[in-house]
């Protein structure tokens, strides 16, 4: 049977556009409906500490309006953990957060935040929420993740995407992700990937056999200006499915 790679569409930047003018459009929940209609597997949103795009009301509206699962990205702190536990999305992905950054610049440092993450994971033990860590493709981070009992990781593909853009070190960055996926697989971890993925650079990531899910946001929302959200998602899906042999 042909391998299937799940596609999560991150709609944060629909809210970025809305917030740029402080209006109530474009509506994030409308975007979520289109994501579902387009056959995506998940709606992904990141509630950031500064609420620069998605807020709790958006999260609630999305959860109320769609039937596909929501993947909530949050920083590892008690405020965000409380939000996750209150709204109960099916998936939570812990990401690092830094107020000055334009976007999530690197992976979660699981090695150096081991005890803090251990405590946070305890608060999730009875909530039937599947946890993932967003990490760089790095052996030590994978080992620490496995030690914490987390079953899923999402590899930060930002360095690969930058290398692709600059046509510099692409093979090296890709090898880091490929080797880390093989290693993660040996550790029994499920591998997802995301950040900076586009029509042009997604195929090499899809070609890595054990990557089972992609989360793609900025490019899809940007491309929607020209081709519409549904068409942009359908085209991404087509590229992914044509890449899989
Ligand atoms: N996955 C995670 C964990 C992210 O934090 C982000 C960015 O918010 C993405 C995927 C999507 O990245 P992009 O918007 O560059 O496609």
């Amino acid at each position: 049977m042909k391998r299937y790679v799940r596609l999560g569409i991150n709609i944060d930047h629909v809210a970025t556009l809305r917030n740029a003018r402080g209006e109530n459009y474009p509506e994030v929940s409308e975007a979520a409906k289109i994501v579902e209609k387009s056959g995506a597997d998940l709606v992904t949103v990141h509630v950031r500490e500064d609420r620069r795009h998605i807020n709790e009301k958006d999260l609630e509206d999305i959860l109320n309006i769609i039937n596909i699962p929501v993947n909530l990205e949050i920083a590892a702190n008690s405020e965000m953990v409380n939000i996750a536990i209150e709204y109960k999305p099916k998936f939570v992905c812990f990401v690092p957060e830094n107020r000055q950054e334009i976007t999530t610049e690197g992976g979660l440092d699981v090695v150096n935040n081991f005890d803090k993450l251990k405590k946070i994971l305890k608060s999730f033990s009875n909530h039937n929420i599947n946890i993932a860590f967003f990490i760089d493709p790095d052996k030590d981070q994978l080992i620490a993740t496995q030690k914490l009992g987390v079953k899923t990781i999402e590899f930060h593909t930002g360095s690969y995407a930058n290398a692709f853009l600059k046509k510099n070190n692409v093979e090296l960055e890709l090898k880091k992700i490929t080797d880390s996926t093989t290693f993660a697989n040996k550790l029994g971890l499920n591998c997802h990937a995301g950040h900076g993925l586009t029509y042009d650079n997604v195929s090499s990531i899809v070609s890595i056999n054990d990557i089972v899910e992609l989360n793609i946001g900025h490019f899809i929302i940007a491309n929607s200006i020209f081709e519409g959200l549904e068409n942009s998602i359908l085209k991404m899906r087509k590229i992914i499915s044509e890449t899989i042999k």
Side-chain angles (χ1 to χ4, degrees):
M1 206 173 63
K2 198 168 158 175
R3 192 178 137 235
Y4 183 77
V5 174
R6 287 192 301 277
L7 177 60
I9 301 295
N10 180 316
I11 56 173
D12 290 350
H13 296 302
V14 175
T16 303
L17 190 57
R18 175 195 63 194
N19 294 356
R21 288 283 292 267
E23 301 286 354
N24 56 4
Y25 63 84
E27 272 184 38
V28 170
S29 54
E30 274 307 305
K33 280 204 269 183
I34 296 171
V35 169
E36 179 170 36
K37 182 171 161 240
S38 312
D41 300 283
L42 312 161
V43 168
T44 297
V45 287
H46 184 177
V47 176
R48 292 188 78 106
E49 283 184 282
D50 62 8
R51 309 297 194 276
R52 66 175 72 160
H53 35 57
I54 297 291
N55 58 42
E56 290 91 324
K57 170 83 169 53
D58 296 323
L59 176 62
E60 189 178 358
D61 290 348
I62 295 167
L63 284 162
N64 283 334
I65 213 158
I66 59 168
N67 295 308
I68 54 172
V70 170
N71 173 29
L72 175 65
E73 298 171 354
I74 49 169
N77 63 47
S78 55
E79 183 197 0
M80 292 300 150
V81 166
N82 289 339
I83 290 175
I85 290 174
E86 183 181 345
Y87 292 94
K88 296 189 178 30
K90 182 151 187 210
F91 302 103
V92 162
C93 181
F94 282 104
V95 301
E97 217 173 276
N98 159 0
R99 273 184 187 247
Q100 274 79 45
E101 70 189 357
I102 293 174
T103 182
T104 313
E105 281 168 358
L108 194 64
D109 188 348
V110 185
V111 175
N112 286 309
N113 291 288
F114 193 88
D115 292 335
K116 179 183 158 191
L117 289 165
K118 194 172 179 178
K119 250 195 205 158
I120 282 182
L121 290 171
K122 270 200 187 137
S123 6
F124 278 90
S125 51
N126 296 323
H127 292 281
N128 201 21
I129 297 173
N130 298 285
I131 304 291
F133 283 172
F134 187 46
I135 61 170
D136 289 322
D138 176 276
K139 263 190 172 181
D140 292 335
Q141 299 295 344
L142 286 165
I143 293 168
T145 300
Q146 193 222 27
K147 270 195 194 153
L148 283 171
V150 169
K151 300 273 187 297
T152 303
I153 52 91
E154 179 173 334
F155 286 123
H156 193 306
T157 51
S159 298
Y160 157 73
N162 285 337
F164 189 93
L165 205 64
K166 293 182 187 144
K167 297 187 172 55
N168 194 11
N169 286 334
V170 184
E171 290 310 315
L172 178 79
E173 292 300 336
L174 205 51
K175 188 172 180 327
K176 281 189 206 165
I177 301 170
T178 309
D179 291 352
S180 297
T181 304
T182 305
F183 187 68
N185 211 251
K186 281 190 190 140
L187 294 178
L189 300 171
N190 305 308
C191 297
H192 302 172
H195 209 280
L197 298 178
T198 67
Y199 293 152
D200 292 334
N201 68 18
V202 75
S203 291
S204 300
I205 300 296
V206 174
S207 299
I208 304 171
N209 235 325
D210 293 310
I211 298 279
V212 296
E213 179 182 306
L214 300 176
N215 282 292
I216 308 181
H218 186 261
F219 173 80
I220 292 282
I221 303 304
N223 196 66
S224 302
I225 293 170
F226 305 115
E227 295 185 350
L229 183 53
E230 182 169 359
N231 286 337
S232 301
I233 295 169
L234 291 174
K235 188 163 166 186
M236 185 59 85
R237 174 69 93 192
K238 188 163 183 277
I239 294 170
I240 292 170
S241 112
E242 286 175 356
T243 304
I244 301 169
K245 301 281 180 316

